[in-house]
Amino acid sequence: MAKQSQQSKKDSETRPSTPASHSTKATRVEVGDVPVGSPDVGDQKVASPHSDGEGEAAIPEDRKGDAIENEEDDWVHDVRNPRNWSRGRKWAAVGVVSFYTLVPPLASSMMAPALPDIAAHFDITSPTMQALILSIFLLTFALGPLLLAPMSEIYGRVWILHICNILSLAFNTGCGFVPTAGSLIGLRVLAGLAGSAPIAIGGGIVSDVFSDRDRANAMAVYSLGPLLGPALGPIAGGYITQTVGYKYIFVVIGGLSAFAGVVGIPILHETYAPVIRLRIAKKAADPEKAAAHHPHLVASHGQAMHVLWVNLTRPFILLTRSFVCFLLSLYMALQYGFYYLMFSTFPKLFTETYGFKPGPSGLAYLGLGVGFFISTVFGGQVGDYMYQKMSANNGGKGKPEFRIPALIFGSLFVPVGLFWYGWSAQAATHWIVPILGTGIFGFGMMATYLPIQLYLVDTFTYAASALAAAAVFRSLFAFAFPLFGEQMYAALGYGGGNSLLAGLAIVVGIPFPIWLWYYGEAIRMKSSLAR
């Protein structure tokens, strides 16, 4: 007995602590319920007992079975758990999904410098119709995540990503060889739907493999695609249009999708823990017996239509019942609308006012790209540092509100960039001056985009649904804003029009983050939708 006692004591000293070892246990809930009793609730966030990112996944807490999974020691320490992958393997997954995420935003904007040529080819005279060809991509880009995100939680993230990439290759390539404007719009709609898969799934993959304390850098790299892609696309699109014709824009996009598939299919493996565990159970020597040990997984993944319906409706529930989710999503959506509004007006401004040809006119988008890149380089590192420092000062307990200082800082640059760009374009100053203004706007947009994404992931129990709600909101705004851009600038001028946009950015973007810093925790404690 003494020997056994000594051995037990030794085991308890050497074995890492697990969620099951804490006094707070997770409670099993059914599909459609709000998980309760998880170890991380409100500001009572327990410092992770695992090292080097080991432990249960963050986004998989969106699934009802995870409350039980988090009690199971074997999975927490299993090498097949994506949280326990090597650092190189984690970053390889992030790199692949980031490249997947870069290509569809390129496809959304690469044709912007070619709009005059496309309009001439198809005999389109309406400015609204021209803008529709560009922005219609974003309509299904907004709606796709509502379907694809829950499908990834039933069938796995990776193959939804690969299949949609292949479809995106086909639809985008076809856009270059259509006979009519209507068929071009139709293929753009389908390309937007297929291209939305990385937006729907990528954030979940990042959160599958990285813990909250070291997630900011990975999320910064992933978030660069949706922002940098639309800025880089027109640079290449302008020169392609000027040299070989606009049709080859779509050939290049198809080639990038093919390259992404060749690299991604062998490298990227499944990261969604519930799907991995169910597959392991089905491959066991006695699949029925193994599956019986995971009844929550079988039930959750077996009722596909019910899971789809729950996940389709949940983003709208979050937008309508959570004031925090609504306003953060609105602020992000407004900036995306401003962003794509610039795209639709750049060709006219830089060709008519500054005399740029189609090739050099694409360089006008470079200011946005540089602003995004600078913000990404510093934003992820600074965000991680601030979060860890404030968590350490709070007894090792992290809070979503620790993302807010970075959001407040970034929100100051957005209206400055809009004012700068608008009034310098109005005065027809040297072409570099409005481009510098777009760079300031790009810096501010990325500096706010990242903390908003991280705050939504940290705050809401159904984090994937919160991200989907934000994605839908911002893509709808990006679709709608270019449709009235030319008319607005014709009535108000570049200075007046951008002053209006800057005023909206100030009203929505500056007071709310400050208010959230002081009252966000109290709101979370009262909400059934928050952790």
Side-chain angles (χ1 to χ4, degrees), residues 103-297:
V103 177
L106 278 172
S108 73
S109 66
M110 193 180 252
M111 63 181 291
L115 283 176
D117 288 37
I118 293 172
H121 180 81
F122 291 112
D123 195 24
I124 300 171
T125 57
S126 168
T128 302
M129 185 65 174
Q130 291 184 40
L132 183 65
I133 292 175
L134 176 68
S135 66
I136 193 66
F137 183 98
L138 296 163
L139 182 60
T140 46
F141 203 67
L143 302 177
L146 294 176
L147 177 65
L148 296 174
M151 285 182 65
S152 76
E153 295 176 347
I154 299 171
Y155 304 108
R157 304 198 194 279
V158 169
W159 282 108
I160 298 294
L161 203 59
H162 293 328
I163 291 171
C164 286
N165 179 63
I166 294 170
L167 293 175
S168 183
L169 185 161
F171 296 141
N172 279 304
T173 304
C175 286
F177 303 94
V178 292
T180 64
S183 54
L184 174 59
I185 290 174
L187 280 181
R188 290 279 287 173
V189 167
L190 295 174
L193 179 62
S196 67
I199 302 296
I201 299 170
I205 290 178
V206 171
S207 295
D208 287 344
V209 299
F210 283 100
S211 62
D212 57 354
R213 65 185 180 275
D214 57 2
R215 185 183 302 147
N217 276 327
M219 190 67 82
V221 173
Y222 162 72
S223 299
L224 193 59
L227 297 175
L228 191 58
L232 294 178
I235 298 173
Y239 283 103
I240 292 171
T241 301
Q242 183 176 317
T243 54
V244 294
Y246 78 86
K247 291 184 179 181
Y248 287 90
I249 290 174
F250 301 105
V251 175
V252 169
I253 295 169
L256 289 172
S257 295
F259 177 75
V262 169
V263 173
I265 290 175
I267 291 179
L268 188 60
H269 299 280
E270 185 57 55
T271 64
Y272 188 55
V275 170
I276 295 173
R277 300 199 66 194
L278 188 58
R279 290 175 182 174
I280 292 171
K282 289 181 177 179
K283 290 179 181 179
D286 188 347
E288 292 184 2
K289 183 178 179 180
H293 289 292
H294 308 289
H296 50 287
L297 291 177

Side-chain angles (χ1 to χ4, degrees), residues 341-351 361 364-365 368 421 438 494:
L341 186 56
M342 287 182 178
F343 284 160
S344 66
T345 58
F346 274 11
K348 182 177 180 179
L349 171 66
F350 287 98
T351 55
S361 69
Y365 299 81
L368 287 164
Y421 165 70
T438 64
Y494 287 106

